[in-house]
Coordinates of all heavy atoms in Angstrom, one line a residue:
M1 N -2.0 30.9 19.4 CA -1.6 30.4 18.1 C -2.4 29.0 18.0 O -2.4 28.2 18.9 CB -0.1 30.2 18.0 CG 0.3 29.7 16.7 SD 2.1 29.7 16.6 CE 2.3 30.6 15.1
A2 N -2.8 28.8 16.8 CA -3.6 27.5 16.5 C -2.6 26.3 16.4 O -1.5 26.5 16.0 CB -4.3 27.7 15.1
E3 N -3.1 25.2 16.9 CA -2.4 24.0 16.9 C -2.3 23.5 15.5 O -3.3 23.4 14.8 CB -3.1 23.0 17.8 CG -2.4 21.7 17.9 CD -3.1 20.7 18.8 OE1 -3.4 21.1 20.0 OE2 -3.5 19.6 18.4
R4 N -1.1 23.1 15.0 CA -1.0 22.5 13.7 C -0.6 21.0 13.8 O 0.3 20.7 14.6 CB 0.1 23.3 12.9 CG -0.3 24.7 12.8 CD 0.6 25.4 11.7 NE 0.4 26.8 11.7 CZ -0.5 27.5 11.2 NH1 -1.5 26.8 10.6 NH2 -0.6 28.8 11.2
A5 N -1.2 20.2 12.9 CA -0.9 18.8 13.0 C -1.3 18.2 11.6 O -2.1 18.7 10.9 CB -1.7 18.1 14.1
V6 N -0.6 17.1 11.3 CA -1.1 16.3 10.2 C -1.7 15.0 10.8 O -1.3 14.6 11.9 CB 0.1 15.9 9.3 CG1 0.6 17.1 8.5 CG2 1.2 15.2 10.0
L7 N -2.8 14.5 10.2 CA -3.5 13.4 10.7 C -3.9 12.4 9.7 O -4.1 12.8 8.5 CB -4.6 13.9 11.6 CG -5.8 14.5 10.9 CD1 -6.9 13.4 10.8 CD2 -6.3 15.6 11.8
A8 N -4.1 11.2 10.2 CA -4.6 10.1 9.3 C -5.7 9.4 10.1 O -5.7 9.4 11.4 CB -3.5 9.1 8.9
E9 N -6.7 8.9 9.5 CA -7.8 8.2 10.2 C -7.9 6.8 9.6 O -8.0 6.6 8.4 CB -9.1 8.9 10.0 CG -10.2 8.3 10.7 CD -11.5 9.0 10.6 OE1 -12.1 8.9 9.5 OE2 -11.9 9.7 11.5
L10 N -7.8 5.8 10.4 CA -7.9 4.4 10.0 C -9.3 4.0 10.4 O -9.8 4.1 11.5 CB -6.9 3.6 10.8 CG -6.9 2.1 10.5 CD1 -6.6 1.8 9.1 CD2 -5.9 1.4 11.4
R11 N -10.0 3.5 9.4 CA -11.4 3.0 9.6 C -11.4 1.4 9.5 O -11.0 0.9 8.5 CB -12.4 3.5 8.5 CG -12.5 5.0 8.7 CD -13.5 5.5 7.7 NE -13.6 7.0 7.8 CZ -14.4 7.7 7.0 NH1 -15.2 7.1 6.1 NH2 -14.4 9.0 7.2
F12 N -11.8 0.8 10.5 CA -11.8 -0.6 10.6 C -13.0 -1.2 9.9 O -14.0 -0.5 9.8 CB -11.7 -1.1 12.1 CG -10.4 -0.8 12.7 CD1 -10.3 0.4 13.4 CD2 -9.3 -1.6 12.7 CE1 -9.1 0.8 14.0 CE2 -8.1 -1.3 13.3 CZ -8.0 -0.1 14.0
I13 N -13.0 -2.5 9.6 CA -14.1 -3.1 9.0 C -15.4 -3.0 9.9 O -16.5 -2.9 9.4 CB -13.8 -4.6 8.7 CG1 -12.7 -4.7 7.6 CG2 -15.0 -5.4 8.2 CD1 -12.2 -6.1 7.3
D14 N -15.2 -3.1 11.2 CA -16.3 -3.1 12.1 C -16.9 -1.7 12.4 O -17.8 -1.5 13.1 CB -16.0 -3.8 13.4 CG -14.8 -3.1 14.2 OD1 -14.3 -2.1 13.7 OD2 -14.5 -3.6 15.2
G15 N -16.3 -0.7 11.7 CA -16.8 0.7 11.8 C -16.0 1.5 12.8 O -16.2 2.7 12.9
R16 N -15.1 0.9 13.6 CA -14.3 1.7 14.5 C -13.4 2.6 13.8 O -13.0 2.3 12.6 CB -13.5 0.8 15.4 CG -14.2 0.1 16.5 CD -13.3 -0.7 17.4 NE -12.4 -1.6 16.6 CZ -11.1 -1.7 16.7 NH1 -10.4 -0.8 17.4 NH2 -10.4 -2.5 15.9
R17 N -13.0 3.7 14.4 CA -12.1 4.6 13.8 C -10.9 4.9 14.7 O -11.1 5.0 15.9 CB -12.8 6.0 13.4 CG -13.8 5.9 12.4 CD -14.5 7.2 12.2 NE -15.5 7.0 11.2 CZ -16.1 8.0 10.6 NH1 -15.8 9.3 10.9 NH2 -17.1 7.9 9.7
E18 N -9.7 5.0 14.2 CA -8.6 5.4 15.0 C -7.9 6.5 14.3 O -7.5 6.4 13.1 CB -7.7 4.2 15.2 CG -6.5 4.5 16.1 CD -5.8 3.2 16.5 OE1 -6.3 2.1 16.5 OE2 -4.6 3.4 16.9
E19 N -7.6 7.6 15.0 CA -7.0 8.8 14.5 C -5.5 8.8 14.9 O -5.2 8.5 16.0 CB -7.7 10.0 15.0 CG -7.3 11.2 14.2 CD -8.2 12.4 14.6 OE1 -9.3 12.6 14.0 OE2 -7.7 13.2 15.5
V20 N -4.6 9.0 13.9 CA -3.2 9.2 14.2 C -2.9 10.6 13.9 O -3.1 11.1 12.8 CB -2.4 8.2 13.3 CG1 -0.9 8.4 13.6 CG2 -2.9 6.8 13.5
R21 N -2.3 11.3 14.9 CA -2.0 12.7 14.7 C -0.5 13.0 15.1 O 0.0 12.5 16.1 CB -2.9 13.5 15.7 CG -2.7 15.0 15.7 CD -3.7 15.7 16.7 NE -5.1 15.4 16.4 CZ -5.9 16.2 15.8 NH1 -5.5 17.4 15.4 NH2 -7.1 15.9 15.6
V22 N 0.1 13.9 14.3 CA 1.5 14.3 14.6 C 1.5 15.8 14.6 O 1.1 16.5 13.6 CB 2.5 13.7 13.5 CG1 3.9 14.3 13.8 CG2 2.4 12.2 13.5
Q23 N 2.0 16.4 15.6 CA 2.1 17.9 15.7 C 3.2 18.4 14.8 O 4.3 17.8 14.8 CB 2.4 18.3 17.2 CG 1.3 17.9 18.2 CD 0.0 18.5 17.9 OE1 -0.1 19.6 17.5 NE2 -1.0 17.7 18.1
V24 N 3.0 19.5 14.2 CA 4.0 20.1 13.3 C 4.1 21.6 13.6 O 3.1 22.2 14.1 CB 3.7 19.9 11.8 CG1 3.8 18.4 11.5 CG2 2.4 20.4 11.4
E25 N 5.2 22.2 13.2 CA 5.3 23.7 13.4 C 4.9 24.3 12.0 O 4.7 23.6 11.0 CB 6.8 24.0 13.7 CG 7.2 23.5 15.1 CD 8.6 23.7 15.4 OE1 9.3 24.3 14.6 OE2 9.1 23.1 16.4
N26 N 5.0 25.6 12.0 CA 4.5 26.3 10.8 C 5.7 26.5 9.8 O 6.0 27.7 9.5 CB 3.9 27.6 11.2 CG 3.1 28.3 10.0 OD1 2.8 27.6 9.1 ND2 2.9 29.6 10.2
N27 N 6.4 25.4 9.4 CA 7.4 25.6 8.4 C 7.5 24.3 7.6 O 7.0 23.2 8.0 CB 8.8 26.0 9.0 CG 9.3 24.9 9.9 OD1 9.4 23.8 9.6 ND2 9.6 25.4 11.2
L28 N 8.0 24.3 6.4 CA 8.0 23.2 5.5 C 8.8 22.0 6.0 O 8.4 20.9 5.9 CB 8.6 23.6 4.1 CG 8.6 22.6 3.0 CD1 7.2 22.1 2.8 CD2 9.2 23.1 1.8
S29 N 10.0 22.2 6.6 CA 10.8 21.1 7.1 C 10.0 20.4 8.2 O 10.1 19.1 8.3 CB 12.2 21.6 7.6 OG 12.0 22.5 8.7
S30 N 9.3 21.1 9.1 CA 8.5 20.4 10.2 C 7.4 19.6 9.6 O 7.1 18.5 10.0 CB 8.0 21.5 11.1 OG 7.2 20.9 12.1
L31 N 6.8 20.2 8.5 CA 5.7 19.5 7.9 C 6.2 18.2 7.2 O 5.6 17.1 7.3 CB 5.1 20.4 6.8 CG 3.9 19.8 6.0 CD1 2.7 19.4 6.9 CD2 3.5 20.7 4.9
I32 N 7.3 18.2 6.6 CA 7.9 17.0 5.9 C 8.2 16.0 7.0 O 7.9 14.8 6.8 CB 9.2 17.4 5.1 CG1 8.8 18.2 3.9 CG2 9.9 16.1 4.7 CD1 9.9 18.8 3.2
R33 N 8.8 16.4 8.1 CA 9.1 15.5 9.2 C 7.8 14.9 9.8 O 7.7 13.7 10.0 CB 9.9 16.2 10.3 CG 11.4 16.3 10.1 CD 12.1 16.7 11.3 NE 11.7 17.9 11.9 CZ 12.2 19.1 11.5 NH1 13.1 19.2 10.6 NH2 11.7 20.2 12.1
G34 N 6.8 15.7 9.9 CA 5.5 15.3 10.4 C 4.9 14.2 9.5 O 4.3 13.2 10.0
V35 N 4.9 14.5 8.2 CA 4.4 13.5 7.2 C 5.1 12.2 7.3 O 4.5 11.1 7.3 CB 4.3 14.1 5.8 CG1 4.0 13.0 4.8 CG2 3.3 15.2 5.7
N36 N 6.5 12.3 7.4 CA 7.3 11.0 7.5 C 7.0 10.3 8.7 O 6.8 9.0 8.7 CB 8.8 11.4 7.4 CG 9.2 11.8 6.0 OD1 8.6 11.4 5.0 ND2 10.2 12.6 5.9
E37 N 6.8 11.0 9.9 CA 6.5 10.3 11.1 C 5.1 9.7 11.1 O 4.8 8.6 11.5 CB 6.6 11.3 12.3 CG 6.3 10.7 13.6 CD 6.5 11.7 14.7 OE1 7.1 12.8 14.6 OE2 5.9 11.5 15.8
L38 N 4.1 10.4 10.5 CA 2.8 9.9 10.3 C 2.8 8.7 9.5 O 2.1 7.7 9.8 CB 1.9 11.0 9.7 CG 0.4 10.7 9.5 CD1 -0.3 10.6 10.8 CD2 -0.3 11.7 8.6
N39 N 3.6 8.7 8.4 CA 3.7 7.5 7.5 C 4.2 6.3 8.3 O 3.7 5.2 8.2 CB 4.6 7.8 6.3 CG 4.7 6.7 5.3 OD1 3.8 5.9 5.2 ND2 5.8 6.7 4.6
A40 N 5.2 6.5 9.1 CA 5.8 5.4 9.9 C 4.8 4.9 10.9 O 4.7 3.7 11.1 CB 7.1 5.9 10.6
N41 N 4.1 5.8 11.6 CA 3.1 5.4 12.6 C 2.0 4.6 12.0 O 1.5 3.6 12.5 CB 2.5 6.6 13.3 CG 3.5 7.3 14.2 OD1 4.6 6.8 14.5 ND2 3.2 8.5 14.6
V42 N 1.5 5.1 10.8 CA 0.4 4.3 10.1 C 0.9 3.0 9.6 O 0.2 2.0 9.8 CB -0.2 5.2 9.0 CG1 -1.1 4.4 8.1 CG2 -0.9 6.4 9.5
S43 N 2.1 2.9 9.1 CA 2.6 1.7 8.6 C 2.8 0.7 9.8 O 2.4 -0.5 9.6 CB 4.0 1.9 8.0 OG 3.9 2.6 6.8
R44 N 3.2 1.2 10.9 CA 3.3 0.3 12.1 C 1.9 -0.2 12.5 O 1.8 -1.4 12.8 CB 4.0 1.1 13.3 CG 4.2 0.2 14.5 CD 4.8 1.0 15.7 NE 4.4 2.4 15.8 CZ 3.3 2.8 16.4 NH1 2.5 1.9 16.9 NH2 3.0 4.1 16.5
L45 N 1.0 0.7 12.6 CA -0.4 0.2 13.0 C -1.0 -0.8 12.0 O -1.5 -1.8 12.4 CB -1.3 1.4 13.0 CG -1.3 2.3 14.2 CD1 -2.2 3.5 14.0 CD2 -1.8 1.5 15.4
L46 N -0.8 -0.6 10.7 CA -1.3 -1.5 9.7 C -0.6 -2.8 9.8 O -1.2 -3.9 9.6 CB -1.2 -0.9 8.3 CG -2.1 0.3 8.0 CD1 -1.9 0.8 6.7 CD2 -3.6 -0.2 8.1
G47 N 0.7 -2.8 10.0 CA 1.5 -4.0 10.2 C 1.0 -4.8 11.4 O 0.9 -6.1 11.3
E48 N 0.8 -4.2 12.5 CA 0.2 -4.8 13.7 C -1.1 -5.4 13.4 O -1.4 -6.6 13.8 CB 0.1 -3.9 14.9 CG 1.4 -3.4 15.4 CD 1.3 -2.3 16.4 OE1 0.2 -1.9 16.7 OE2 2.4 -1.8 16.9
L49 N -2.0 -4.7 12.6 CA -3.3 -5.2 12.3 C -3.2 -6.5 11.4 O -3.9 -7.5 11.6 CB -4.1 -4.1 11.6 CG -5.5 -4.5 11.2 CD1 -6.4 -4.8 12.4 CD2 -6.1 -3.3 10.4
V50 N -2.3 -6.5 10.5 CA -2.1 -7.6 9.6 C -1.6 -8.8 10.4 O -2.1 -9.9 10.2 CB -1.1 -7.3 8.5 CG1 -0.6 -8.6 7.8 CG2 -1.7 -6.3 7.5
E51 N -0.7 -8.6 11.3 CA -0.2 -9.7 12.2 C -1.3 -10.3 13.0 O -1.4 -11.5 13.2 CB 1.0 -9.2 13.0 CG 2.3 -9.0 12.3 CD 2.7 -10.2 11.5 OE1 2.7 -11.3 12.1 OE2 3.1 -10.0 10.3
R52 N -2.1 -9.4 13.6 CA -3.3 -9.9 14.4 C -4.2 -10.7 13.6 O -4.7 -11.8 14.0 CB -4.0 -8.7 15.0 CG -3.6 -8.4 16.4 CD -4.5 -7.4 17.1 NE -4.0 -6.1 16.7 CZ -4.7 -5.0 16.6 NH1 -6.0 -5.0 16.7 NH2 -4.1 -3.8 16.3
E53 N -4.5 -10.3 12.4 CA -5.4 -11.1 11.5 C -4.8 -12.4 11.1 O -5.5 -13.4 11.0 CB -5.7 -10.2 10.2 CG -6.5 -9.0 10.6 CD -7.7 -8.8 9.8 OE1 -7.9 -9.5 8.8 OE2 -8.5 -7.8 10.1
K54 N -3.5 -12.4 10.9 CA -2.8 -13.7 10.6 C -2.9 -14.7 11.8 O -3.2 -15.9 11.6 CB -1.3 -13.5 10.3 CG -1.0 -12.9 8.9 CD 0.5 -12.8 8.7 CE 0.8 -12.2 7.4 NZ 2.3 -12.0 7.2
V55 N -2.7 -14.2 13.0 CA -2.8 -15.0 14.2 C -4.2 -15.5 14.4 O -4.4 -16.7 14.7 CB -2.3 -14.2 15.4 CG1 -2.6 -15.0 16.7 CG2 -0.8 -13.9 15.3
H56 N -5.2 -14.7 14.2 CA -6.6 -15.1 14.4 C -7.1 -15.9 13.3 O -8.2 -16.5 13.4 CB -7.5 -13.9 14.7 CG -7.2 -13.2 16.0 ND1 -6.1 -13.4 16.8 CD2 -7.8 -12.2 16.6 CE1 -6.1 -12.7 17.8 NE2 -7.2 -11.9 17.7
G57 N -6.5 -15.9 12.1 CA -6.9 -16.7 11.0 C -8.3 -16.2 10.5 O -9.1 -17.0 10.1
D58 N -8.4 -14.8 10.4 CA -9.7 -14.3 9.9 C -10.0 -14.7 8.4 O -11.1 -14.8 8.0 CB -9.7 -12.7 10.0 CG -9.8 -12.3 11.5 OD1 -10.2 -13.1 12.3 OD2 -9.5 -11.2 11.8
C59 N -8.9 -14.9 7.7 CA -9.1 -15.3 6.3 C -9.0 -16.8 6.2 O -8.0 -17.4 6.6 CB -8.0 -14.7 5.4 SG -8.4 -14.8 3.7
S60 N -10.1 -17.5 5.9 CA -10.0 -19.0 5.9 C -9.1 -19.5 4.9 O -8.8 -18.9 3.8 CB -11.4 -19.5 5.7 OG -11.8 -19.3 4.3
Q61 N -8.5 -20.7 5.2 CA -7.5 -21.3 4.3 C -8.1 -21.6 2.9 O -7.5 -21.5 1.9 CB -7.0 -22.6 4.9 CG -5.8 -23.2 4.2 CD -4.6 -22.3 4.1 OE1 -4.4 -21.5 5.0 NE2 -3.8 -22.5 3.1
G62 N -9.4 -22.0 2.9 CA -10.1 -22.4 1.6 C -10.1 -21.2 0.7 O -10.0 -21.4 -0.5
E63 N -10.4 -20.0 1.2 CA -10.4 -18.8 0.3 C -9.1 -18.5 -0.3 O -9.0 -18.2 -1.5 CB -10.9 -17.6 1.1 CG -12.3 -17.7 1.6 CD -12.7 -16.5 2.4 OE1 -11.9 -15.6 2.6 OE2 -13.8 -16.4 2.9
E64 N -8.0 -18.7 0.5 CA -6.7 -18.4 -0.1 C -6.4 -19.4 -1.2 O -5.8 -19.1 -2.2 CB -5.6 -18.5 1.0 CG -5.7 -17.3 2.0 CD -4.7 -17.4 3.1 OE1 -3.9 -18.3 3.1 OE2 -4.8 -16.6 4.0
D65 N -6.7 -20.7 -0.9 CA -6.4 -21.8 -1.9 C -7.2 -21.5 -3.2 O -6.7 -21.7 -4.3 CB -6.7 -23.1 -1.4 CG -5.8 -23.6 -0.3 OD1 -4.7 -23.0 -0.2 OD2 -6.1 -24.5 0.5
E66 N -8.4 -21.1 -3.0 CA -9.3 -20.8 -4.2 C -8.7 -19.7 -5.1 O -8.6 -19.8 -6.3 CB -10.7 -20.4 -3.7 CG -11.7 -20.3 -4.9 CD -13.1 -20.0 -4.3 OE1 -13.6 -20.8 -3.5 OE2 -13.6 -19.0 -4.7
E67 N -8.2 -18.6 -4.4 CA -7.6 -17.5 -5.1 C -6.4 -18.0 -5.9 O -6.1 -17.6 -7.0 CB -7.3 -16.4 -4.2 CG -8.5 -15.7 -3.6 CD -8.2 -14.6 -2.6 OE1 -7.0 -14.4 -2.3 OE2 -9.1 -14.1 -2.0
D68 N -5.5 -18.8 -5.2 CA -4.3 -19.3 -5.8 C -4.6 -20.1 -7.0 O -4.0 -20.0 -8.1 CB -3.5 -20.1 -4.8 CG -2.9 -19.2 -3.7 OD1 -2.8 -18.0 -3.9 OD2 -2.5 -19.8 -2.7
S69 N -5.7 -21.0 -6.9 CA -6.0 -21.9 -8.1 C -6.5 -21.1 -9.3 O -6.2 -21.4 -10.4 CB -7.0 -22.9 -7.7 OG -8.2 -22.3 -7.3
E70 N -7.2 -20.0 -9.0 CA -7.7 -19.1 -10.1 C -6.5 -18.4 -10.8 O -6.5 -18.3 -12.0 CB -8.6 -18.0 -9.5 CG -10.0 -18.6 -9.1 CD -10.9 -17.5 -8.5 OE1 -10.5 -16.3 -8.5 OE2 -12.0 -17.9 -8.0
E71 N -5.5 -18.0 -10.0 CA -4.3 -17.4 -10.6 C -3.6 -18.4 -11.4 O -3.1 -18.0 -12.5 CB -3.4 -16.8 -9.5 CG -4.0 -15.6 -8.8 CD -3.2 -15.1 -7.6 OE1 -2.1 -15.7 -7.4 OE2 -3.6 -14.2 -6.9
E72 N -3.5 -19.6 -11.0 CA -2.8 -20.6 -11.7 C -3.5 -20.9 -13.1 O -2.9 -21.1 -14.1 CB -2.6 -21.9 -10.9 CG -1.6 -21.8 -9.8 CD -1.7 -23.0 -8.8 OE1 -2.4 -24.0 -9.1 OE2 -1.0 -22.9 -7.8
E73 N -4.8 -20.9 -13.0 CA -5.6 -21.2 -14.2 C -5.3 -20.0 -15.2 O -5.2 -20.3 -16.4 CB -7.1 -21.3 -13.9 CG -7.5 -22.5 -13.2 CD -8.9 -22.5 -12.7 OE1 -9.6 -21.6 -13.1 OE2 -9.3 -23.4 -12.0
D74 N -5.3 -18.8 -14.8 CA -5.0 -17.7 -15.6 C -3.7 -17.8 -16.3 O -3.5 -17.4 -17.4 CB -5.1 -16.3 -14.9 CG -6.6 -16.0 -14.4 OD1 -7.5 -16.7 -15.0 OD2 -6.7 -15.2 -13.5
D75 N -2.7 -18.3 -15.5 CA -1.3 -18.4 -16.0 C -1.3 -19.4 -17.2 O -0.5 -19.3 -18.1 CB -0.4 -18.8 -14.9 CG -0.1 -17.7 -13.9 OD1 -0.4 -16.6 -14.3 OD2 0.4 -18.0 -12.8
D76 N -2.1 -20.5 -17.1 CA -2.1 -21.5 -18.1 C -2.6 -21.0 -19.5 O -2.3 -21.5 -20.5 CB -3.0 -22.7 -17.7 CG -2.4 -23.4 -16.5 OD1 -1.2 -23.2 -16.3 OD2 -3.1 -24.2 -15.8
E77 N -3.4 -19.9 -19.4 CA -4.0 -19.4 -20.7 C -3.0 -18.6 -21.5 O -3.1 -18.4 -22.7 CB -5.2 -18.6 -20.3 CG -6.4 -19.4 -19.8 CD -7.5 -18.5 -19.3 OE1 -7.5 -17.3 -19.6 OE2 -8.5 -19.0 -18.7
E78 N -2.0 -18.1 -20.8 CA -1.0 -17.3 -21.5 C 0.0 -18.2 -22.2 O 0.4 -19.2 -21.8 CB -0.2 -16.4 -20.5 CG -1.1 -15.4 -19.7 CD -0.4 -14.6 -18.7 OE1 0.9 -14.8 -18.6 OE2 -1.0 -13.9 -18.0
P79 N 0.5 -17.7 -23.4 CA 1.5 -18.5 -24.1 C 2.8 -18.6 -23.3 O 3.2 -17.6 -22.6 CB 1.7 -17.8 -25.4 CG 1.2 -16.4 -25.1 CD 0.2 -16.5 -24.1
E80 N 3.4 -19.8 -23.3 CA 4.6 -19.9 -22.5 C 5.8 -19.4 -23.3 O 6.9 -19.2 -22.7 CB 4.8 -21.4 -22.2 CG 3.7 -21.8 -21.2 CD 4.0 -23.2 -20.6 OE1 5.2 -23.6 -20.6 OE2 3.1 -23.8 -20.1
D81 N 5.8 -19.3 -24.6 CA 6.9 -18.8 -25.4 C 6.8 -17.3 -25.5 O 6.5 -16.8 -26.6 CB 6.9 -19.5 -26.8 CG 7.1 -21.0 -26.7 OD1 7.8 -21.5 -25.7 OD2 6.6 -21.7 -27.5
I82 N 7.1 -16.6 -24.5 CA 7.1 -15.2 -24.5 C 8.5 -14.7 -25.0 O 9.5 -15.1 -24.4 CB 6.8 -14.6 -23.1 CG1 5.4 -15.0 -22.7 CG2 6.9 -13.1 -23.2 CD1 5.1 -14.6 -21.3
Q83 N 8.5 -13.9 -26.0 CA 9.8 -13.5 -26.6 C 10.2 -12.3 -25.8 O 9.5 -11.3 -25.6 CB 9.6 -13.1 -28.0 CG 9.2 -14.2 -28.9 CD 9.0 -13.8 -30.4 OE1 9.1 -12.6 -30.7 NE2 8.8 -14.8 -31.2
N84 N 11.5 -12.3 -25.4 CA 12.1 -11.2 -24.6 C 12.8 -10.4 -25.6 O 13.9 -10.8 -26.1 CB 13.0 -11.7 -23.5 CG 12.2 -12.4 -22.4 OD1 11.1 -12.0 -22.2 ND2 12.9 -13.3 -21.7
S85 N 12.4 -9.2 -26.0 CA 13.1 -8.3 -26.9 C 13.7 -7.2 -26.1 O 13.1 -6.7 -25.1 CB 12.1 -7.8 -28.0 OG 11.1 -7.1 -27.4
E86 N 14.8 -6.8 -26.5 CA 15.5 -5.7 -25.9 C 14.8 -4.4 -26.3 O 14.5 -4.2 -27.5 CB 17.0 -5.6 -26.2 CG 17.7 -6.8 -25.6 CD 19.2 -6.8 -25.9 OE1 19.7 -5.7 -26.1 OE2 19.8 -7.8 -25.9
L87 N 14.7 -3.4 -25.4 CA 14.2 -2.1 -25.8 C 15.2 -1.4 -26.6 O 16.4 -1.3 -26.3 CB 13.8 -1.4 -24.5 CG 12.7 -1.9 -23.7 CD1 12.5 -1.1 -22.4 CD2 11.4 -2.0 -24.5
Q88 N 14.7 -0.8 -27.7 CA 15.6 0.0 -28.5 C 15.1 1.5 -28.5 O 13.9 1.7 -28.4 CB 15.5 -0.5 -30.0 CG 15.9 -1.9 -30.1 CD 17.4 -2.1 -29.9 OE1 18.2 -1.2 -30.2 NE2 17.8 -3.2 -29.3
P89 N 16.0 2.4 -28.6 CA 15.6 3.8 -28.6 C 14.8 4.1 -29.9 O 15.0 3.4 -30.9 CB 16.9 4.6 -28.6 CG 17.9 3.6 -29.1 CD 17.5 2.3 -28.7
P90 N 13.9 5.1 -29.9 CA 13.1 5.4 -31.1 C 14.0 5.8 -32.2 O 15.1 6.4 -32.0 CB 12.2 6.5 -30.6 CG 12.8 7.0 -29.4 CD 13.6 6.0 -28.8
A91 N 13.6 5.6 -33.4 CA 14.4 6.0 -34.6 C 14.4 7.5 -34.6 O 13.4 8.2 -34.3 CB 13.8 5.5 -35.8
K92 N 15.6 8.1 -35.0 CA 15.7 9.5 -35.1 C 15.0 10.0 -36.4 O 15.1 9.4 -37.4 CB 17.1 9.9 -35.1 CG 17.8 9.6 -33.8 CD 19.2 10.1 -33.8 CE 19.9 9.8 -32.4 NZ 21.3 10.2 -32.4
R93 N 14.3 11.1 -36.3 CA 13.7 11.7 -37.5 C 14.7 12.7 -38.1 O 15.3 13.5 -37.4 CB 12.4 12.5 -37.1 CG 11.3 11.6 -36.6 CD 10.1 12.4 -36.5 NE 9.4 11.9 -35.3 CZ 8.3 12.5 -34.8 NH1 7.9 13.6 -35.3 NH2 7.7 12.1 -33.7
S94 N 14.7 12.7 -39.4 CA 15.5 13.7 -40.0 C 14.7 15.0 -40.2 O 13.5 15.0 -40.4 CB 16.0 13.2 -41.4 OG 14.9 12.9 -42.2
K95 N 15.4 16.1 -40.1 CA 14.7 17.4 -40.3 C 14.6 17.7 -41.8 O 15.5 17.4 -42.6 CB 15.6 18.6 -39.7 CG 15.6 18.5 -38.2 CD 16.4 19.6 -37.7 CE 16.5 19.5 -36.1 NZ 17.2 20.6 -35.6
S96 N 13.4 18.2 -42.2 CA 13.2 18.4 -43.6 C 13.1 19.9 -43.9 O 12.9 20.7 -43.1 CB 12.0 17.7 -44.1 OG 10.9 17.8 -43.3

């Protein structure tokens, strides 16, 4: 019988690839569990990668400050008096 699995492939900036594979059986409930497990594994890997990048400081502080200042400038262009209106249901049409 053929091996069944769901898999994801993470491609790093430097070109490395890491494959995440979860074995599943030939039924829907096993497939759902496999996808959920795969999602958890990939989320954990990406979280670890983000933490490593934070520790190593791969993103320079100047770049982050520059992005923040651009966002603040964009905010200044928007009017500050934004009216908050409540959503109303659409008007009912009468049958003719």
